[in-house]
Amino acid sequence: GTGILATIAHVWEHEGLGGLYKGIGASMVLTTNPAIQFVIFDKLKSFILRRRRRRLAEEAAERGDSAQGDGRGESERTNAQDLEPIEALLIGIIAKLVATFVTYPYIMAKVRIQSSSKTGKVGGTFAVWRHVVREEGWTALYSGLRPQLLKSVLAAALMYMAKERIQMAVRKVFGGLN
């Protein structure tokens, strides 16, 4: 058969227990992808909101308002605490692009390691990288990057846009709790 149980049985029979865990090292490193993504998103968001607060404070000072930079001088939607949906979308795109670019060689290595049972023994992540660079050149570490970006960037950007909208709604309902 070709189902998951047949595949597990095949791997167990031909490669043993270790075969079921091929690529686990690269997979563990890939857990850094969302961490990188979140850090970049948060840093860019903080930068934008800091600039917005500064601009709002300057505008309030020009008007002679005492409530400088509280975020209530603009529309309810755009204030010093919240991103516009388009801002969240664009920052999400940037964050996912960077995270994927940084971790992509691990993704490529993991795929090659896991598919090596069909093509012969490949070794670990570093062995795959050495082989790829030697046989195909440095750029091959990023072969297949475009489909990976198409698959993941839009989903991440939409997730951040939704997260920011939900966070704004929760803040409104619960009276500014962070």
Side-chain angles (χ1 to χ4, degrees):
T2 57
I4 191 162
L5 293 177
T7 302
I8 291 171
H10 176 80
V11 170
W12 181 270
E13 181 181 331
H14 291 92
E15 300 176 48
L17 181 64
L20 295 173
Y21 293 95
K22 274 189 172 180
I24 191 81
S27 293
M28 296 306 250
V29 171
L30 290 174
T31 62
T32 63
N33 183 290
I36 293 166
Q37 179 183 318
F38 290 136
V39 167
I40 290 170
F41 183 88
D42 285 344
K43 293 296 182 189
L44 291 173
K45 177 182 176 180
S46 293
F47 174 76
I48 287 171
L49 294 179
R50 216 176 16 258
R51 286 186 57 143
R52 182 173 297 147
R53 280 191 295 274
R54 191 176 312 126
R55 182 176 48 82
L56 290 171
E58 289 168 1
E59 289 172 2
E62 287 174 11
R63 289 190 312 268
D65 291 350
S66 59
Q68 294 181 358
D70 68 354
R72 289 174 177 68
E74 293 189 0
S75 73
E76 251 184 67
R77 224 172 48 156
T78 303
N79 61 48
Q81 287 184 300
D82 303 311
L83 293 174
E84 284 284 349
I86 191 68
E87 291 171 325
L89 184 81
L90 293 174
I91 294 171
I93 287 171
I94 292 167
K96 189 61 175 181
L97 282 171
V98 171
T100 302
F101 188 79
V102 168
T103 59
Y104 190 76
Y106 285 97
I107 295 170
M108 181 276 306
K110 182 183 108 175
V111 168
R112 291 195 184 199
I113 290 166
Q114 289 176 334
S115 64
S116 69
S117 59
K118 300 172 188 138
T119 60
K121 189 157 178 65
V122 181
T125 301
F126 295 110
V128 170
W129 288 347
R130 273 192 304 276
H131 175 77
V132 166
V133 169
R134 192 177 316 119
E135 299 296 320
E136 303 170 42
W138 284 98
T139 57
L141 292 174
Y142 290 90
S143 62
L145 178 63
R146 186 175 297 142
Q148 181 70 23
L149 290 174
L150 290 173
K151 177 180 93 171
S152 62
V153 169
L154 184 60
L158 291 172
M159 186 253 329
Y160 279 114
M161 192 170 73
K163 174 211 170 264
E164 290 297 311
R165 300 302 295 172
I166 292 167
Q167 187 174 347
M168 187 186 308
V170 167
R171 188 178 298 114
K172 187 179 281 187
V173 168
F174 292 105
L177 294 176
N178 287 328

